Amino acid sequence: MAKEELLEFDGTVVEVLPDGNYRVKLDNDHVILAYAAGKMKKNRIRTIAGDRVVVEMSPYDLDRGRINFRQKTAGPAPGGPPRSQNFRRR
C-alpha cells in the first residue's frame, strides 16, 4: 500500500515549457505545472499543446503534477498519408 494516494485529473496541455515541463489546464479550471512521467520519456511519447492528458498529483502539493497518460486523438496518423511507390519492383 502506498504512503499516500495520488489524485488523478483530466486536463489539456496549454503550453510546452523548456526542460520537459508543461502547463496544464485541468477540467476544473485550475492551471498547474506538470512534467512527463518516466515511461513517457522512455518510450518517446510526444506531447504538444492541445493534447488531452491524465495528470497525477500529490494531495500535499496541488500546484504540480506528473503527466501519466496522453489520450489518443481521432485525427490522422502521424506522418501524413501513405506515400506512393516511385520505383518498379522486380
Side-chain angles (χ1 to χ4, degrees):
M1 184 169 162
K3 292 182 184 178
E4 74 245 4
E5 295 297 323
L6 296 175
L7 306 173
E8 285 192 353
F9 295 102
D10 291 333
T12 304
V13 175
V14 177
E15 184 181 2
V16 179
L17 301 171
D19 203 24
N21 290 320
Y22 303 92
R23 184 107 27 223
V24 177
K25 183 174 184 179
L26 302 178
D27 288 344
N28 57 7
D29 292 334
H30 283 71
V31 178
I32 65 165
L33 183 67
Y35 63 94
K39 287 281 187 179
M40 291 184 66
K41 289 180 185 176
K42 179 182 174 187
N43 294 320
R44 294 189 177 117
I45 297 174
R46 302 289 182 213
T47 306
I48 59 173
D51 284 349
R52 296 283 299 164
V53 293
V54 176
V55 179
E56 289 182 347
M57 297 172 60
S58 169
Y60 300 110
D61 187 9
L62 298 176
D63 292 333
R64 291 188 53 90
R66 175 176 52 229
I67 297 176
N68 196 24
F69 182 75
R70 182 180 61 91
Q71 297 174 356
K72 294 182 181 179
T73 58
R83 298 187 308 193
S84 64
Q85 298 288 337
N86 291 336
F87 61 92
R88 224 173 174 183
R89 290 201 127 130
R90 293 184 184 211

mmCIF file of all heavy atoms in Angstrom, residues 44-89:
data_model
loop_
_atom_site.group_PDB
_atom_site.id
_atom_site.type_symbol
_atom_site.label_atom_id
_atom_site.label_comp_id
_atom_site.label_asym_id
_atom_site.label_seq_id
_atom_site.Cartn_x
_atom_site.Cartn_y
_atom_site.Cartn_z
ATOM 1 N N ARG A 44 9.407 7.737 -25.622
ATOM 2 C CA ARG A 44 9.410 8.912 -26.505
ATOM 3 C C ARG A 44 8.009 9.295 -26.959
ATOM 4 O O ARG A 44 7.770 9.514 -28.149
ATOM 5 C CB ARG A 44 10.317 8.677 -27.697
ATOM 6 C CG ARG A 44 11.768 8.551 -27.303
ATOM 7 C CD ARG A 44 12.657 8.529 -28.526
ATOM 8 N NE ARG A 44 14.044 8.471 -28.109
ATOM 9 C CZ ARG A 44 14.846 7.463 -28.388
ATOM 10 N NH1 ARG A 44 14.411 6.432 -29.078
ATOM 11 N NH2 ARG A 44 16.091 7.476 -27.989
ATOM 12 N N ILE A 45 7.087 9.378 -26.020
ATOM 13 C CA ILE A 45 5.729 9.817 -26.327
ATOM 14 C C ILE A 45 5.732 11.334 -26.333
ATOM 15 O O ILE A 45 6.025 11.966 -25.324
ATOM 16 C CB ILE A 45 4.728 9.257 -25.310
ATOM 17 C CG1 ILE A 45 4.720 7.735 -25.395
ATOM 18 C CG2 ILE A 45 3.346 9.830 -25.542
ATOM 19 C CD1 ILE A 45 3.891 7.053 -24.352
ATOM 20 N N ARG A 46 5.431 11.914 -27.487
ATOM 21 C CA ARG A 46 5.460 13.370 -27.650
ATOM 22 C C ARG A 46 4.141 13.966 -27.199
ATOM 23 O O ARG A 46 3.075 13.445 -27.514
ATOM 24 C CB ARG A 46 5.704 13.737 -29.110
ATOM 25 C CG ARG A 46 6.983 13.178 -29.665
ATOM 26 C CD ARG A 46 8.177 13.874 -29.079
ATOM 27 N NE ARG A 46 9.400 13.349 -29.674
ATOM 28 C CZ ARG A 46 10.519 13.251 -29.018
ATOM 29 N NH1 ARG A 46 10.604 13.626 -27.775
ATOM 30 N NH2 ARG A 46 11.588 12.778 -29.610
ATOM 31 N N THR A 47 4.209 15.063 -26.468
ATOM 32 C CA THR A 47 3.033 15.785 -26.015
ATOM 33 C C THR A 47 3.146 17.210 -26.517
ATOM 34 O O THR A 47 4.171 17.862 -26.305
ATOM 35 C CB THR A 47 2.946 15.766 -24.477
ATOM 36 O OG1 THR A 47 3.011 14.407 -24.029
ATOM 37 C CG2 THR A 47 1.666 16.374 -24.001
ATOM 38 N N ILE A 48 2.107 17.695 -27.182
ATOM 39 C CA ILE A 48 2.103 19.061 -27.706
ATOM 40 C C ILE A 48 0.910 19.802 -27.133
ATOM 41 O O ILE A 48 0.025 19.204 -26.505
ATOM 42 C CB ILE A 48 2.065 19.068 -29.248
ATOM 43 C CG1 ILE A 48 0.838 18.348 -29.772
ATOM 44 C CG2 ILE A 48 3.321 18.449 -29.819
ATOM 45 C CD1 ILE A 48 0.652 18.458 -31.265
ATOM 46 N N ALA A 49 0.882 21.111 -27.344
ATOM 47 C CA ALA A 49 -0.211 21.933 -26.837
ATOM 48 C C ALA A 49 -1.514 21.476 -27.479
ATOM 49 O O ALA A 49 -1.581 21.215 -28.672
ATOM 50 C CB ALA A 49 0.053 23.398 -27.143
ATOM 51 N N GLY A 50 -2.539 21.349 -26.652
ATOM 52 C CA GLY A 50 -3.848 20.921 -27.128
ATOM 53 C C GLY A 50 -4.154 19.466 -26.853
ATOM 54 O O GLY A 50 -5.288 19.033 -27.020
ATOM 55 N N ASP A 51 -3.166 18.676 -26.431
ATOM 56 C CA ASP A 51 -3.389 17.257 -26.147
ATOM 57 C C ASP A 51 -4.155 17.091 -24.838
ATOM 58 O O ASP A 51 -3.940 17.822 -23.876
ATOM 59 C CB ASP A 51 -2.057 16.515 -26.032
ATOM 60 C CG ASP A 51 -1.407 16.259 -27.367
ATOM 61 O OD1 ASP A 51 -2.075 16.466 -28.396
ATOM 62 O OD2 ASP A 51 -0.234 15.850 -27.374
ATOM 63 N N ARG A 52 -5.021 16.085 -24.808
ATOM 64 C CA ARG A 52 -5.719 15.712 -23.580
ATOM 65 C C ARG A 52 -4.828 14.749 -22.806
ATOM 66 O O ARG A 52 -4.279 13.796 -23.383
ATOM 67 C CB ARG A 52 -7.049 15.045 -23.887
ATOM 68 C CG ARG A 52 -8.048 15.928 -24.579
ATOM 69 C CD ARG A 52 -8.709 16.914 -23.652
ATOM 70 N NE ARG A 52 -9.432 16.216 -22.617
ATOM 71 C CZ ARG A 52 -9.855 16.769 -21.491
ATOM 72 N NH1 ARG A 52 -9.638 18.047 -21.269
ATOM 73 N NH2 ARG A 52 -10.501 16.087 -20.584
ATOM 74 N N VAL A 53 -4.646 14.985 -21.507
ATOM 75 C CA VAL A 53 -3.752 14.172 -20.694
ATOM 76 C C VAL A 53 -4.414 13.831 -19.362
ATOM 77 O O VAL A 53 -5.382 14.469 -18.944
ATOM 78 C CB VAL A 53 -2.411 14.905 -20.420
ATOM 79 C CG1 VAL A 53 -1.614 15.073 -21.683
ATOM 80 C CG2 VAL A 53 -2.647 16.236 -19.753
ATOM 81 N N VAL A 54 -3.876 12.803 -18.714
ATOM 82 C CA VAL A 54 -4.253 12.446 -17.354
ATOM 83 C C VAL A 54 -3.080 12.807 -16.464
ATOM 84 O O VAL A 54 -1.942 12.414 -16.730
ATOM 85 C CB VAL A 54 -4.578 10.938 -17.241
ATOM 86 C CG1 VAL A 54 -4.868 10.559 -15.802
ATOM 87 C CG2 VAL A 54 -5.753 10.580 -18.130
ATOM 88 N N VAL A 55 -3.345 13.580 -15.406
ATOM 89 C CA VAL A 55 -2.296 14.092 -14.523
ATOM 90 C C VAL A 55 -2.468 13.491 -13.132
ATOM 91 O O VAL A 55 -3.573 13.476 -12.591
ATOM 92 C CB VAL A 55 -2.365 15.634 -14.446
ATOM 93 C CG1 VAL A 55 -1.304 16.175 -13.507
ATOM 94 C CG2 VAL A 55 -2.232 16.249 -15.812
ATOM 95 N N GLU A 56 -1.381 12.979 -12.571
ATOM 96 C CA GLU A 56 -1.364 12.504 -11.186
ATOM 97 C C GLU A 56 -0.805 13.611 -10.303
ATOM 98 O O GLU A 56 0.189 14.232 -10.655
ATOM 99 C CB GLU A 56 -0.481 11.272 -11.041
ATOM 100 C CG GLU A 56 -1.025 10.033 -11.655
ATOM 101 C CD GLU A 56 -0.112 8.845 -11.428
ATOM 102 O OE1 GLU A 56 1.050 9.044 -11.005
ATOM 103 O OE2 GLU A 56 -0.567 7.724 -11.672
ATOM 104 N N MET A 57 -1.448 13.831 -9.165
ATOM 105 C CA MET A 57 -0.996 14.878 -8.244
ATOM 106 C C MET A 57 -0.971 14.329 -6.824
ATOM 107 O O MET A 57 -1.777 13.479 -6.454
ATOM 108 C CB MET A 57 -1.932 16.083 -8.312
ATOM 109 C CG MET A 57 -1.968 16.746 -9.665
ATOM 110 S SD MET A 57 -3.233 17.997 -9.802
ATOM 111 C CE MET A 57 -2.728 19.128 -8.528
ATOM 112 N N SER A 58 -0.055 14.841 -6.048
ATOM 113 C CA SER A 58 0.011 14.502 -4.636
ATOM 114 C C SER A 58 -0.979 15.386 -3.879
ATOM 115 O O SER A 58 -1.153 16.550 -4.224
ATOM 116 C CB SER A 58 1.426 14.749 -4.118
ATOM 117 O OG SER A 58 1.455 14.666 -2.718
ATOM 118 N N PRO A 59 -1.604 14.862 -2.842
ATOM 119 C CA PRO A 59 -2.526 15.710 -2.071
ATOM 120 C C PRO A 59 -1.818 16.819 -1.286
ATOM 121 O O PRO A 59 -2.458 17.752 -0.822
ATOM 122 C CB PRO A 59 -3.219 14.733 -1.132
ATOM 123 C CG PRO A 59 -2.383 13.523 -1.116
ATOM 124 C CD PRO A 59 -1.611 13.484 -2.385
ATOM 125 N N TYR A 60 -0.482 16.749 -1.208
ATOM 126 C CA TYR A 60 0.266 17.741 -0.452
ATOM 127 C C TYR A 60 0.648 18.955 -1.281
ATOM 128 O O TYR A 60 0.849 20.037 -0.737
ATOM 129 C CB TYR A 60 1.535 17.111 0.144
ATOM 130 C CG TYR A 60 1.214 15.981 1.076
ATOM 131 C CD1 TYR A 60 1.501 14.672 0.716
ATOM 132 C CD2 TYR A 60 0.592 16.209 2.299
ATOM 133 C CE1 TYR A 60 1.190 13.623 1.558
ATOM 134 C CE2 TYR A 60 0.273 15.167 3.145
ATOM 135 C CZ TYR A 60 0.586 13.880 2.766
ATOM 136 O OH TYR A 60 0.269 12.845 3.596
ATOM 137 N N ASP A 61 0.799 18.789 -2.597
ATOM 138 C CA ASP A 61 1.164 19.898 -3.464
ATOM 139 C C ASP A 61 0.238 19.877 -4.672
ATOM 140 O O ASP A 61 0.427 19.090 -5.598
ATOM 141 C CB ASP A 61 2.624 19.773 -3.912
ATOM 142 C CG ASP A 61 3.105 20.996 -4.676
ATOM 143 O OD1 ASP A 61 2.364 22.004 -4.716
ATOM 144 O OD2 ASP A 61 4.217 20.955 -5.221
ATOM 145 N N LEU A 62 -0.755 20.744 -4.673
ATOM 146 C CA LEU A 62 -1.765 20.752 -5.729
ATOM 147 C C LEU A 62 -1.419 21.714 -6.860
ATOM 148 O O LEU A 62 -2.272 22.020 -7.690
ATOM 149 C CB LEU A 62 -3.127 21.084 -5.133
ATOM 150 C CG LEU A 62 -3.635 20.076 -4.105
ATOM 151 C CD1 LEU A 62 -4.947 20.539 -3.499
ATOM 152 C CD2 LEU A 62 -3.779 18.695 -4.719
ATOM 153 N N ASP A 63 -0.183 22.203 -6.886
ATOM 154 C CA ASP A 63 0.250 23.091 -7.970
ATOM 155 C C ASP A 63 1.146 22.384 -8.981
ATOM 156 O O ASP A 63 1.466 22.947 -10.020
ATOM 157 C CB ASP A 63 1.009 24.298 -7.405
ATOM 158 C CG ASP A 63 0.103 25.213 -6.604
ATOM 159 O OD1 ASP A 63 -1.098 25.235 -6.895
ATOM 160 O OD2 ASP A 63 0.620 25.890 -5.702
ATOM 161 N N ARG A 64 1.577 21.155 -8.671
ATOM 162 C CA ARG A 64 2.463 20.409 -9.565
ATOM 163 C C ARG A 64 1.891 19.016 -9.763
ATOM 164 O O ARG A 64 1.196 18.488 -8.911
ATOM 165 C CB ARG A 64 3.865 20.307 -8.984
ATOM 166 C CG ARG A 64 4.590 21.634 -8.956
ATOM 167 C CD ARG A 64 6.045 21.482 -8.566
ATOM 168 N NE ARG A 64 6.751 20.518 -9.379
ATOM 169 C CZ ARG A 64 7.392 20.812 -10.513
ATOM 170 N NH1 ARG A 64 7.392 22.043 -10.957
ATOM 171 N NH2 ARG A 64 8.032 19.889 -11.188
ATOM 172 N N GLY A 65 2.238 18.422 -10.923
ATOM 173 C CA GLY A 65 1.744 17.084 -11.197
ATOM 174 C C GLY A 65 2.637 16.356 -12.171
ATOM 175 O O GLY A 65 3.625 16.894 -12.668
ATOM 176 N N ARG A 66 2.261 15.115 -12.458
ATOM 177 C CA ARG A 66 3.010 14.267 -13.381
ATOM 178 C C ARG A 66 2.042 13.783 -14.450
ATOM 179 O O ARG A 66 0.983 13.228 -14.139
ATOM 180 C CB ARG A 66 3.591 13.078 -12.628
ATOM 181 C CG ARG A 66 4.281 12.082 -13.516
ATOM 182 C CD ARG A 66 4.929 10.951 -12.743
ATOM 183 N NE ARG A 66 3.998 10.316 -11.818
ATOM 184 C CZ ARG A 66 4.277 10.079 -10.541
ATOM 185 N NH1 ARG A 66 5.435 10.415 -10.038
ATOM 186 N NH2 ARG A 66 3.397 9.503 -9.759
ATOM 187 N N ILE A 67 2.399 14.003 -15.719
ATOM 188 C CA ILE A 67 1.560 13.540 -16.818
ATOM 189 C C ILE A 67 1.785 12.042 -16.963
ATOM 190 O O ILE A 67 2.886 11.597 -17.259
ATOM 191 C CB ILE A 67 1.888 14.277 -18.125
ATOM 192 C CG1 ILE A 67 1.579 15.762 -17.971
ATOM 193 C CG2 ILE A 67 1.093 13.684 -19.283
ATOM 194 C CD1 ILE A 67 1.965 16.587 -19.166
ATOM 195 N N ASN A 68 0.730 11.292 -16.734
ATOM 196 C CA ASN A 68 0.826 9.845 -16.716
ATOM 197 C C ASN A 68 0.355 9.221 -18.022
ATOM 198 O O ASN A 68 0.799 8.133 -18.373
ATOM 199 C CB ASN A 68 -0.008 9.307 -15.555
ATOM 200 C CG ASN A 68 0.318 7.892 -15.217
ATOM 201 O OD1 ASN A 68 1.402 7.424 -15.492
ATOM 202 N ND2 ASN A 68 -0.633 7.205 -14.638
ATOM 203 N N PHE A 69 -0.516 9.893 -18.756
ATOM 204 C CA PHE A 69 -1.122 9.297 -19.943
ATOM 205 C C PHE A 69 -1.550 10.395 -20.899
ATOM 206 O O PHE A 69 -2.127 11.393 -20.481
ATOM 207 C CB PHE A 69 -2.341 8.469 -19.517
ATOM 208 C CG PHE A 69 -3.025 7.755 -20.647
ATOM 209 C CD1 PHE A 69 -2.471 6.624 -21.207
ATOM 210 C CD2 PHE A 69 -4.237 8.208 -21.130
ATOM 211 C CE1 PHE A 69 -3.116 5.957 -22.236
ATOM 212 C CE2 PHE A 69 -4.880 7.555 -22.155
ATOM 213 C CZ PHE A 69 -4.321 6.433 -22.713
ATOM 214 N N ARG A 70 -1.232 10.214 -22.193
ATOM 215 C CA ARG A 70 -1.716 11.133 -23.229
ATOM 216 C C ARG A 70 -2.773 10.392 -24.017
ATOM 217 O O ARG A 70 -2.534 9.330 -24.575
ATOM 218 C CB ARG A 70 -0.589 11.564 -24.167
ATOM 219 C CG ARG A 70 -1.062 12.551 -25.227
ATOM 220 C CD ARG A 70 0.060 12.957 -26.147
ATOM 221 N NE ARG A 70 0.633 11.851 -26.884
ATOM 222 C CZ ARG A 70 0.211 11.451 -28.087
ATOM 223 N NH1 ARG A 70 -0.769 12.057 -28.676
ATOM 224 N NH2 ARG A 70 0.803 10.449 -28.682
ATOM 225 N N GLN A 71 -3.975 10.973 -24.059
ATOM 226 C CA GLN A 71 -5.078 10.305 -24.740
ATOM 227 C C GLN A 71 -4.923 10.422 -26.242
ATOM 228 O O GLN A 71 -4.493 11.449 -26.745
ATOM 229 C CB GLN A 71 -6.405 10.903 -24.282
ATOM 230 C CG GLN A 71 -6.635 10.677 -22.811
ATOM 231 C CD GLN A 71 -7.867 11.372 -22.295
ATOM 232 O OE1 GLN A 71 -8.527 12.091 -23.021
ATOM 233 N NE2 GLN A 71 -8.167 11.154 -21.038
ATOM 234 N N LYS A 72 -5.258 9.370 -26.933
ATOM 235 C CA LYS A 72 -5.142 9.347 -28.383
ATOM 236 C C LYS A 72 -6.238 10.182 -29.000
ATOM 237 O O LYS A 72 -7.368 10.204 -28.511
ATOM 238 C CB LYS A 72 -5.236 7.917 -28.904
ATOM 239 C CG LYS A 72 -4.082 7.067 -28.462
ATOM 240 C CD LYS A 72 -4.178 5.687 -29.033
ATOM 241 C CE LYS A 72 -3.013 4.853 -28.549
ATOM 242 N NZ LYS A 72 -3.057 3.490 -29.040
ATOM 243 N N THR A 73 -5.913 10.864 -30.092
ATOM 244 C CA THR A 73 -6.895 11.661 -30.804
ATOM 245 C C THR A 73 -7.412 10.867 -31.991
ATOM 246 O O THR A 73 -6.773 9.931 -32.468
ATOM 247 C CB THR A 73 -6.288 12.986 -31.295
ATOM 248 O OG1 THR A 73 -5.168 12.674 -32.131
ATOM 249 C CG2 THR A 73 -5.820 13.833 -30.127
ATOM 250 N N ALA A 74 -8.553 11.263 -32.517
ATOM 251 C CA ALA A 74 -9.171 10.557 -33.638
ATOM 252 C C ALA A 74 -8.688 11.084 -34.975
ATOM 253 O O ALA A 74 -9.232 10.762 -36.006
ATOM 254 C CB ALA A 74 -10.681 10.676 -33.536
ATOM 255 N N GLY A 75 -7.672 11.925 -34.987
ATOM 256 C CA GLY A 75 -7.169 12.523 -36.215
ATOM 257 C C GLY A 75 -6.362 11.536 -37.043
ATOM 258 O O GLY A 75 -6.232 10.354 -36.701
ATOM 259 N N PRO A 76 -5.793 12.007 -38.145
ATOM 260 C CA PRO A 76 -4.996 11.124 -39.000
ATOM 261 C C PRO A 76 -3.722 10.674 -38.299
ATOM 262 O O PRO A 76 -3.253 11.302 -37.362
ATOM 263 C CB PRO A 76 -4.681 11.993 -40.211
ATOM 264 C CG PRO A 76 -4.793 13.387 -39.723
ATOM 265 C CD PRO A 76 -5.839 13.368 -38.639
ATOM 266 N N ALA A 77 -3.176 9.597 -38.781
ATOM 267 C CA ALA A 77 -1.948 9.059 -38.203
ATOM 268 C C ALA A 77 -0.792 10.021 -38.460
ATOM 269 O O ALA A 77 -0.769 10.714 -39.471
ATOM 270 C CB ALA A 77 -1.638 7.701 -38.823
ATOM 271 N N PRO A 78 0.187 10.087 -37.549
ATOM 272 C CA PRO A 78 1.319 10.974 -37.774
ATOM 273 C C PRO A 78 2.102 10.549 -39.004
ATOM 274 O O PRO A 78 2.220 9.371 -39.305
ATOM 275 C CB PRO A 78 2.147 10.830 -36.504
ATOM 276 C CG PRO A 78 1.617 9.661 -35.776
ATOM 277 C CD PRO A 78 0.253 9.388 -36.302
ATOM 278 N N GLY A 79 2.622 11.527 -39.714
ATOM 279 C CA GLY A 79 3.379 11.228 -40.908
ATOM 280 C C GLY A 79 2.596 11.465 -42.173
ATOM 281 O O GLY A 79 3.138 11.387 -43.256
ATOM 282 N N GLY A 80 1.311 11.742 -42.061
ATOM 283 C CA GLY A 80 0.505 12.051 -43.220
ATOM 284 C C GLY A 80 0.058 10.814 -43.971
ATOM 285 O O GLY A 80 0.172 9.688 -43.493
ATOM 286 N N PRO A 81 -0.451 11.017 -45.191
ATOM 287 C CA PRO A 81 -0.956 9.886 -45.975
ATOM 288 C C PRO A 81 0.184 9.002 -46.453
ATOM 289 O O PRO A 81 1.336 9.431 -46.541
ATOM 290 C CB PRO A 81 -1.652 10.573 -47.152
ATOM 291 C CG PRO A 81 -1.018 11.911 -47.257
ATOM 292 C CD PRO A 81 -0.628 12.288 -45.859
ATOM 293 N N PRO A 82 -0.121 7.753 -46.784
ATOM 294 C CA PRO A 82 0.947 6.863 -47.255
ATOM 295 C C PRO A 82 1.506 7.351 -48.583
ATOM 296 O O PRO A 82 0.793 7.874 -49.426
ATOM 297 C CB PRO A 82 0.244 5.512 -47.409
ATOM 298 C CG PRO A 82 -1.200 5.822 -47.474
ATOM 299 C CD PRO A 82 -1.398 7.103 -46.726
ATOM 300 N N ARG A 83 2.811 7.166 -48.747
ATOM 301 C CA ARG A 83 3.477 7.623 -49.965
ATOM 302 C C ARG A 83 3.319 6.583 -51.063
ATOM 303 O O ARG A 83 3.286 5.384 -50.808
ATOM 304 C CB ARG A 83 4.951 7.873 -49.687
ATOM 305 C CG ARG A 83 5.156 8.966 -48.650
ATOM 306 C CD ARG A 83 6.578 9.347 -48.494
ATOM 307 N NE ARG A 83 7.433 8.174 -48.255
ATOM 308 C CZ ARG A 83 8.665 8.246 -47.854
ATOM 309 N NH1 ARG A 83 9.206 9.414 -47.605
ATOM 310 N NH2 ARG A 83 9.385 7.171 -47.669
ATOM 311 N N SER A 84 3.252 7.055 -52.283
ATOM 312 C CA SER A 84 3.155 6.143 -53.423
ATOM 313 C C SER A 84 4.542 5.619 -53.780
ATOM 314 O O SER A 84 5.556 6.275 -53.531
ATOM 315 C CB SER A 84 2.533 6.847 -54.625
ATOM 316 O OG SER A 84 3.383 7.905 -55.045
ATOM 317 N N GLN A 85 4.570 4.461 -54.417
ATOM 318 C CA GLN A 85 5.831 3.863 -54.817
ATOM 319 C C GLN A 85 6.293 4.509 -56.131
ATOM 320 O O GLN A 85 5.550 4.556 -57.098
ATOM 321 C CB GLN A 85 5.660 2.366 -55.024
ATOM 322 C CG GLN A 85 5.234 1.637 -53.766
ATOM 323 C CD GLN A 85 6.361 1.565 -52.760
ATOM 324 O OE1 GLN A 85 7.525 1.652 -53.104
ATOM 325 N NE2 GLN A 85 6.012 1.407 -51.496
ATOM 326 N N ASN A 86 7.496 5.010 -56.177
ATOM 327 C CA ASN A 86 8.021 5.656 -57.362
ATOM 328 C C ASN A 86 9.010 4.769 -58.121
ATOM 329 O O ASN A 86 9.692 5.234 -59.018
ATOM 330 C CB ASN A 86 8.716 6.975 -56.991
ATOM 331 C CG ASN A 86 7.735 8.012 -56.539
ATOM 332 O OD1 ASN A 86 6.574 7.940 -56.886
ATOM 333 N ND2 ASN A 86 8.203 8.977 -55.773
ATOM 334 N N PHE A 87 9.100 3.511 -57.765
ATOM 335 C CA PHE A 87 10.025 2.622 -58.449
ATOM 336 C C PHE A 87 9.292 1.330 -58.790
ATOM 337 O O PHE A 87 8.234 1.039 -58.253
ATOM 338 C CB PHE A 87 11.259 2.356 -57.589
ATOM 339 C CG PHE A 87 10.942 1.684 -56.288
ATOM 340 C CD1 PHE A 87 10.956 0.303 -56.193
ATOM 341 C CD2 PHE A 87 10.642 2.435 -55.156
ATOM 342 C CE1 PHE A 87 10.667 -0.312 -54.999
ATOM 343 C CE2 PHE A 87 10.348 1.805 -53.962
ATOM 344 C CZ PHE A 87 10.355 0.438 -53.883
ATOM 345 N N ARG A 88 9.885 0.577 -59.683
ATOM 346 C CA ARG A 88 9.287 -0.657 -60.133
ATOM 347 C C ARG A 88 9.894 -1.842 -59.405
ATOM 348 O O ARG A 88 11.107 -1.957 -59.275
ATOM 349 C CB ARG A 88 9.593 -0.800 -61.617
ATOM 350 C CG ARG A 88 8.459 -1.236 -62.391
ATOM 351 C CD ARG A 88 8.874 -1.150 -63.830
ATOM 352 N NE ARG A 88 7.844 -1.708 -64.611
ATOM 353 C CZ ARG A 88 7.897 -1.852 -65.889
ATOM 354 N NH1 ARG A 88 8.958 -1.476 -66.549
ATOM 355 N NH2 ARG A 88 6.904 -2.357 -66.528
ATOM 356 N N ARG A 89 9.058 -2.702 -58.924
ATOM 357 C CA ARG A 89 9.546 -3.902 -58.245
ATOM 358 C C ARG A 89 9.814 -4.977 -59.269
ATOM 359 O O ARG A 89 9.108 -5.122 -60.246
ATOM 360 C CB ARG A 89 8.508 -4.403 -57.256
ATOM 361 C CG ARG A 89 8.361 -3.502 -56.088
ATOM 362 C CD ARG A 89 7.736 -4.339 -55.007
ATOM 363 N NE ARG A 89 8.556 -4.224 -53.832
ATOM 364 C CZ ARG A 89 8.096 -3.928 -52.647
ATOM 365 N NH1 ARG A 89 6.827 -3.732 -52.470
ATOM 366 N NH2 ARG A 89 8.905 -3.841 -51.645
#
